[in-house]
Amino acid sequence: MLKLDGKLILNELNQNIFVKDLHSNYLYVNATYTNLLGVTPAEIIGKNDFDFFPKHIAEKYRSDDAVVIAKKETIETKEEIVVEGQIRIIRTVKKPLYFEGEIFAVLGIFWDVTQYADQEIEYKKLQYGLNKAQALANIGHWELDFVSNELFWSDEVYRIFGLKPQSFGATYEAFLKHIHPDDIELVNKSYMDSVNEKIGYHVTHRIIRSDGSIGFVEERCEHLFDDGMNIVRSIGTVHDITKTKEAEHGLVLAAEVFAKMHDGVLITDENQKIIQINQAFTNISGYELEDIKGKTPAMLSSGWHTNEFYQKMWEEINTKGKWAGEVRDRRKNGETYLAEMMIVALRNDAGTLTNYISITTDITDRKEKEELIHNLAYFDSLTQLPNRILFEERFHDKVSTLKRTQKKMAILFLDMDNFKHVNDTLGHVIGDKFLVQVALEIKKSLRESDTFARVGGDEFMIILDDLEDITQVLPTAQRIVKSFLNPVIVEGRELFTGVSIGISVYPDDSENYIELVKYADTAMYHVKESGKNDFQFYTESMNEKMTSRMKIQSNLRNAILNNEFFLEYQPKINLETHTVYGMEALIRWNHPTDGLIRPDIFIGIAEQTGQIYEIGLWVAAKAMQDTKDLQKDGKYLVVSINVSSVQLENEFFINDICKVAYDIGLDKSYIELEITESHIMNNIEKALVTLQELSSRGFKISIDDFGTGYSSLAYLKKLPAQTIKIDRSFVLDIDKDDDDRSIVGAIIAMARSLGKDVIAEGSETQEHIDTLKYLHCHKVQGYYFSRPIRIEKFKEFVENF
């Protein structure tokens, strides 16, 4: 009896067969597989896929092996490979092999299925093309097989009815469900007559889509017959003509609107010859169509506008295709009227100019009413000067410009001296005329651009803006005061008066309008109390600020001597190792009477006065000593110390900070100096020299608040910084704001490309942590793990983390 050799049989099979051990090393391969790889069995056995395939492919094969072994199940995959320069599609089956109930190997079989895949792709292409063509044409088709009683709808039929394609089997009942109730009888009768008379049919009707909207379709149907003229199949189309119907309805509606709209419409041909107007245009202008047909709209001109006005109008029409603005035209009876007009140039699909359309609204009455209301609302009825409301609006209008130009603005509060005496002795009529004359006199001392307002009784206010310096206010104030050394003449009477002026300055005294007015008013009363007919700048707020500043400045001098400063530390966490690898030293000030004073209050003053240098060295010494003490407990952490631009620019800083580290005996590799990006950019060239020297002395350098100082890549490459700290403003919304997430991702990628480490401050929530992990930022600092804490609590935190 013939004895069959299993390996011989496997070698004759066209399928590629292999067996791997549990470590994905080859135990057996058949001849088909060795021929594919172009090697002998001996060169394969004992090796793995990394010896024959690219890394990413080998990793994929090993991952598949691991799934078979872990889940103890057969898996099947399909993938593309390149054989002799051609893409081939292979199908692979892998299953576990057992010995005494335990998996000991993985059996794999794969074979070329390119030919079958090509046929499937070709069919899908044809099917896709048909579906796409029907979708583009909004035409679906259906077929009813009378032999099998099966009904088929194409995808487009489902879509026309507002349904998901092939979401359920097509039925005639489902079709009728989407017919408008008033059209069901029409559709049924058309189809039944067609079947009985053995002819096709054509019918237009309404449908109700799944969302409740109404559409229009056009249906056509033809039948196929057998030799006995029995219907065996019906084939039909459903064409969505909703847009066509809507367009037809739109044309009717447009004609109706054109005839009945309140705005006047005038249409010309491409040569500006009038061809049509509506009734509203006749009502506005007085012209009938026969009066102006064939003429140009120039006949309506009132002569009010200049040639330059019309030139600019036509330039805009010719370049932008439309123009809108106000025009004063003339009616048929000779009256002029003010119109709000839009002119549109119409072009056909080829881009050729065909018509001009103007739409006119008569706004004559509205403008007159608006002007009256405006005057009542914004101007003083006696002097015709702006009132308090308009004055405030103009103040706010000027603020945005001042912020951009960094200039100043002054508010002058004027009160007429002795006005009550004039009113009481001569009466209100003379008093009113006196105020009118006073307003005219004051106006002579002002520029055209200055805002001058009457805000009540005998009180006036002035805005002087665009000031480089507050001294520019002096000439105006002096002229006004001097003008009232002479009497005011009212109806032949000489009325002696004077003016008291208080002045506040934006932004020196305040940026708030109400406060500035109050300050100017206060200064004006000081003038009154000092003898009247003079002016004075407001000084109280300046004194208060100076007093507060001097108090802090004075207290800072004694803060170190009185041991009022202390440090808190915020841990820095490595998310990959889940360890505390460093800490940032943060200064706090506990004043004996004022309590805790926030760093944002005293740090700026300390920098401006230069006191930050001594304070900075105290912080460095204290932080280094605490770090040294931690090392005695076996905790070797890097301490981050903030350095200001004032310290960097001091010629003694490098030696002083090195001496502090030397005196304490702390290796400088455990000291990281944090410098904000904006401080570096203040004097980039000098900062580079200083930082490079500090780095060469052994200190680590970190760029703090990165992303806020607009540093260039050219300088960033030169900076000897080992670490970039992403500013917390970008981290706070990183899990919600796509822009912040993109910015952080870009900073991380840039930092890594430059070989720099990255840490994100402001990490306060689990979402922050998850997002930063996703962006491959594994060093964080923030409230999620700990707020800044005293050194004793910090030691406990490290031990328990």
Side-chain angles (χ1 to χ4, degrees):
M1 184 175 179
L2 179 63
K3 184 178 180 181
L4 298 178
D5 186 330
K7 290 187 178 180
L8 180 62
I9 294 173
L10 294 177
N11 284 332
E12 292 300 319
L13 295 178
N14 289 329
Q15 289 86 353
N16 299 271
I17 302 173
F18 59 84
V19 178
K20 297 180 184 178
D21 64 17
L22 298 184
H23 301 290
S24 292
N25 297 316
Y26 286 99
L27 299 174
Y28 168 77
V29 291
N30 71 346
T32 307
Y33 193 25
T34 58
N35 292 336
L36 175 67
L37 296 182
V39 295
T40 65
E43 292 173 310
I44 298 177
I45 304 303
K47 297 184 178 180
N48 57 51
D49 293 316
F50 286 94
D51 297 312
F52 304 103
F53 300 101
K55 181 181 178 183
H56 68 281
I57 294 176
E59 288 177 344
K60 197 266 183 189
Y61 291 163
R62 176 163 289 189
S63 175
D64 291 344
D65 295 344
V67 171
V68 173
I69 296 168
K71 295 187 177 181
K72 299 180 180 181
E73 62 182 26
T74 300
I75 65 170
E76 183 176 331
T77 61
K78 188 182 288 185
E79 62 186 310
E80 292 183 354
I81 64 171
V82 178
V83 179
E84 296 181 354
Q86 293 185 337
I87 296 176
R88 309 298 295 173
I89 299 174
I90 63 169
R91 179 184 175 194
T92 304
V93 175
K94 290 184 178 181
K95 64 177 295 181
L97 294 180
Y98 293 87
F99 179 74
E100 294 182 355
E102 296 294 332
I103 297 176
F104 76 95
V106 175
L107 170 66
I109 305 172
F110 69 90
W111 60 96
D112 193 327
V113 295
T114 305
Q115 178 180 355
Y116 307 108
D118 289 344
Q119 292 173 355
E120 182 180 351
I121 291 170
E122 189 63 29
Y123 172 76
K124 287 182 177 179
K125 284 182 179 179
L126 292 173
Q127 188 66 34
Y128 173 79
L130 176 60
N131 288 337
K132 197 68 176 175
Q134 290 191 4
L136 290 172
N138 290 325
I139 298 176
H141 85 278
W142 57 269
E143 297 181 25
L144 175 60
D145 190 326
F146 277 81
V147 178
S148 64
N149 198 31
E150 291 181 350
L151 176 64
F152 167 79
W153 290 351
S154 69
D155 289 354
E156 190 60 21
V157 173
Y158 285 90
R159 279 191 285 265
I160 288 172
F161 289 149
L163 301 168
K164 185 178 179 181
Q166 308 303 328
S167 54
F168 59 86
T171 65
Y172 189 67
E173 290 72 20
F175 169 69
L176 290 179
K177 181 180 177 182
H178 288 86
I179 306 301
H180 192 285
D182 295 342
D183 293 347
I184 290 178
E185 184 178 350
L186 169 66
V187 174
N188 256 329
K189 187 176 185 305
S190 298
Y191 180 70
M192 297 309 300
D193 288 349
S194 171
V195 171
N196 294 332
E197 297 174 16
K198 295 182 171 54
I199 59 174
Y201 75 85
H202 173 210
V203 63
T204 299
H205 63 86
R206 291 165 292 175
I207 63 171
I208 299 178
R209 297 189 176 93
S210 60
D211 63 0
S213 62
I214 295 176
F216 291 83
V217 297
E218 180 183 56
E219 284 198 61
R220 296 179 184 271
C221 173
E222 296 292 341
H223 306 295
L224 299 180
F225 306 91
D226 61 13
D227 295 339
M229 288 303 293
N230 298 308
I231 297 177
V232 295
R233 182 179 292 272
S234 293
I235 302 176
T237 61
V238 181
H239 184 196
D240 187 348
I241 59 171
T242 304
K243 290 184 178 179
T244 303
K245 284 290 186 180
E246 289 175 347
E248 292 174 357
H249 177 68
L251 290 174
V252 174
L253 185 61
E256 187 73 11
V257 170
F258 179 78
K260 295 184 177 181
M261 67 188 296
H262 292 292
D263 292 333
V265 179
L266 179 148
I267 304 175
T268 76
D269 61 16
E270 71 277 16
N271 297 315
Q272 300 180 40
K273 302 295 184 182
I274 299 171
I275 59 176
Q276 188 61 270
I277 60 173
N278 68 348
Q279 184 60 44
F281 185 85
T282 298
N283 297 340
I284 293 171
S285 68
Y287 288 102
E288 300 286 348
L289 180 60
E290 55 266 25
D291 297 329
I292 58 177
K293 189 172 184 179
K295 299 178 182 179
T296 70
M299 65 170 292
L300 304 170
S301 175
S302 65
W304 184 273
H305 302 288
T306 63
N307 289 334
E308 184 181 7
F309 172 84
Y310 289 110
Q311 287 173 359
K312 288 183 177 179
M313 181 181 78
W314 281 105
E315 281 177 11
E316 192 165 331
I317 294 172
N318 293 332
T319 56
K320 298 181 180 179
K322 64 180 180 179
W323 173 88
E326 294 182 1
V327 174
R328 186 170 290 277
D329 275 347
R330 191 174 298 278
R331 307 187 205 273
K332 186 178 180 180
N333 64 8
E335 294 178 355
T336 63
Y337 65 98
L338 188 61
E340 203 170 65
M341 183 180 294
M342 175 181 285
I343 301 175
V344 180
L346 296 185
R347 298 181 181 273
N348 59 22
D349 292 341
T352 304
L353 179 67
T354 59
N355 301 93
Y356 293 101
I357 296 180
S358 75
I359 302 172
T360 302
T361 304
D362 187 346
I363 60 172
T364 308
D365 291 342
R366 190 184 82 193
K367 278 293 183 179
E368 290 176 353
K369 292 176 182 176
E370 285 179 356
E371 186 174 354
L372 177 60
I373 293 171
H374 181 270
N375 286 337
L376 291 173
Y378 290 104
F379 289 88
D380 172 51
S381 59
L382 176 64
T383 62
Q384 301 306 308
L385 292 174
N387 61 14
R388 186 184 295 271
I389 296 172
L390 183 55
F391 185 85
E392 182 176 353
E393 286 190 8
R394 290 190 179 174
F395 170 86
H396 292 299
D397 289 342
K398 294 175 183 294
V399 165
S400 58
T401 302
L402 293 173
K403 286 184 175 179
R404 187 170 62 252
T405 61
Q406 298 295 303
K407 292 187 178 181
K408 300 177 186 295
M409 170 169 55
I411 289 182
L412 283 66
F413 197 110
L414 291 73
D415 186 271
M416 303 310 301
D417 300 332
N418 307 321
F419 174 70
K420 186 176 184 300
H421 176 73
V422 172
N423 237 8
D424 291 345
T425 58
L426 300 177
H428 293 290
V429 174
I430 297 299
D432 286 349
K433 291 181 179 181
F434 169 79
L435 290 175
V436 171
Q437 195 60 39
V438 162
L440 292 174
E441 194 63 38
I442 294 173
K443 204 167 187 179
K444 293 177 185 177
S445 300
L446 303 178
R447 302 170 299 181
E448 192 68 31
S449 60
D450 297 333
T451 297
F452 178 34
R454 182 187 178 215
V455 295
D458 61 338
E459 295 177 337
F460 299 87
M461 286 203 295
I462 300 170
I463 293 176
L464 302 179
D465 66 332
D466 200 33
L467 305 175
E468 296 284 353
D469 187 86
I470 62 172
T471 58
Q472 291 178 272
V473 178
L474 297 176
T476 301
Q478 289 166 346
R479 281 197 302 271
I480 296 173
V481 170
K482 186 177 179 181
S483 67
F484 291 105
L485 294 178
N486 299 317
V488 177
I489 308 300
V490 177
E491 293 188 348
R493 292 187 176 90
E494 291 186 347
L495 304 178
F496 289 90
T497 185
V499 61
S500 298
I501 306 173
I503 306 167
S504 62
V505 179
Y506 171 97
D508 296 11
D509 295 327
S510 175
E511 294 185 12
N512 181 276
Y513 171 76
I514 295 175
E515 289 182 350
L516 285 168
V517 172
K518 183 179 71 173
Y519 295 159
D521 188 26
T522 300
M524 182 271 294
Y525 276 107
H526 281 211
V527 175
K528 292 277 190 187
E529 293 171 356
S530 302
K532 302 182 180 179
N533 202 38
D534 202 352
F535 64 88
Q536 183 175 325
F537 286 91
Y538 175 75
T539 59
E540 183 178 351
S541 64
M542 188 182 302
N543 289 336
E544 289 176 354
K545 290 179 183 177
M546 186 60 68
T547 300
S548 176
R549 177 189 173 89
M550 292 299 294
K551 180 181 177 182
I552 291 176
Q553 184 177 338
S554 175
N555 290 338
L556 278 172
R557 291 193 184 97
N558 300 318
I560 295 178
L561 293 176
N562 296 337
N563 200 30
E564 294 170 9
F565 289 133
F566 64 94
L567 296 185
E568 290 185 335
Y569 297 90
Q570 188 168 43
K572 295 184 176 183
I573 309 299
N574 188 317
L575 299 176
E576 285 187 308
T577 60
H578 194 68
T579 57
V580 180
Y581 74 95
M583 56 187 181
E584 180 179 3
L586 300 167
I587 188 171
R588 301 291 185 259
W589 183 10
N590 187 17
H591 190 272
T593 58
D594 295 341
L596 283 174
I597 301 176
R598 300 196 315 270
D600 60 283
I601 293 177
F602 69 86
I603 291 295
I605 295 175
E607 287 182 329
Q608 292 170 14
T609 60
Q611 292 169 300
I612 193 67
Y613 191 83
E614 182 183 359
I615 294 172
L617 290 178
W618 178 89
V619 170
K622 178 61 176 166
M624 291 181 198
Q625 186 60 60
D626 287 344
T627 305
K628 181 71 174 178
D629 292 342
L630 284 173
Q631 290 184 355
K632 294 176 183 178
D633 296 333
K635 300 176 179 63
Y636 289 83
L637 305 181
V638 175
V639 63
S640 296
I641 301 170
N642 290 289
V643 177
S644 79
S645 57
V646 175
Q647 293 171 278
L648 278 184
E649 292 168 3
N650 190 301
E651 61 180 324
F652 301 108
F653 175 69
I654 295 175
N655 289 335
D656 286 347
I657 195 76
C658 287
K659 185 177 185 303
V660 172
Y662 177 82
D663 290 344
I664 291 172
L666 180 64
D667 190 313
K668 289 191 284 290
S669 63
Y670 293 99
I671 305 169
E672 184 179 67
L673 303 180
E674 286 196 7
I675 300 93
T676 61
E677 185 185 17
S678 56
H679 283 168
I680 295 172
M681 298 310 295
N682 284 340
N683 190 345
I684 182 65
E685 298 298 341
K686 186 172 182 179
L688 274 174
V689 173
T690 304
L691 294 178
Q692 286 167 352
E693 178 65 20
L694 288 168
S695 179
S696 68
R697 297 282 188 102
F699 293 100
K700 296 181 183 295
I701 306 296
S702 172
I703 303 176
D704 196 8
D705 297 344
F706 187 83
T708 62
Y710 309 103
S711 58
S712 68
L713 283 174
Y715 284 117
L716 188 58
K717 288 169 61 179
K718 296 179 182 179
L719 287 172
Q722 291 80 24
T723 303
I724 288 176
K725 179 181 280 190
I726 302 172
D727 185 67
R728 71 189 303 273
S729 63
F730 299 121
V731 177
L732 290 180
D733 291 324
I734 193 174
D735 55 316
K736 300 184 285 293
D737 189 297
D738 291 340
D739 290 339
D740 283 350
R741 189 160 50 250
S742 298
I743 290 171
V744 172
I747 293 173
I748 293 169
M750 179 186 66
R752 295 199 184 287
S753 69
L754 295 174
K756 300 183 186 301
D757 208 350
V758 183
I759 180 172
E761 64 177 346
S763 305
E764 298 181 357
T765 66
Q766 182 65 55
E767 290 77 11
H768 290 165
I769 300 301
D770 293 340
T771 306
L772 289 167
K773 282 182 178 179
Y774 174 78
L775 294 173
H776 303 292
C777 179
H778 299 293
K779 291 184 177 180
V780 299
Q781 174 184 346
Y783 289 174
Y784 179 78
F785 288 103
S786 174
R787 290 176 176 270
I789 49 180
R790 300 289 286 264
I791 188 64
E792 296 78 15
K793 293 288 186 182
F794 182 86
K795 291 178 181 178
E796 296 177 9
F797 177 88
V798 175
E799 290 172 354
N800 298 325
F801 188 79

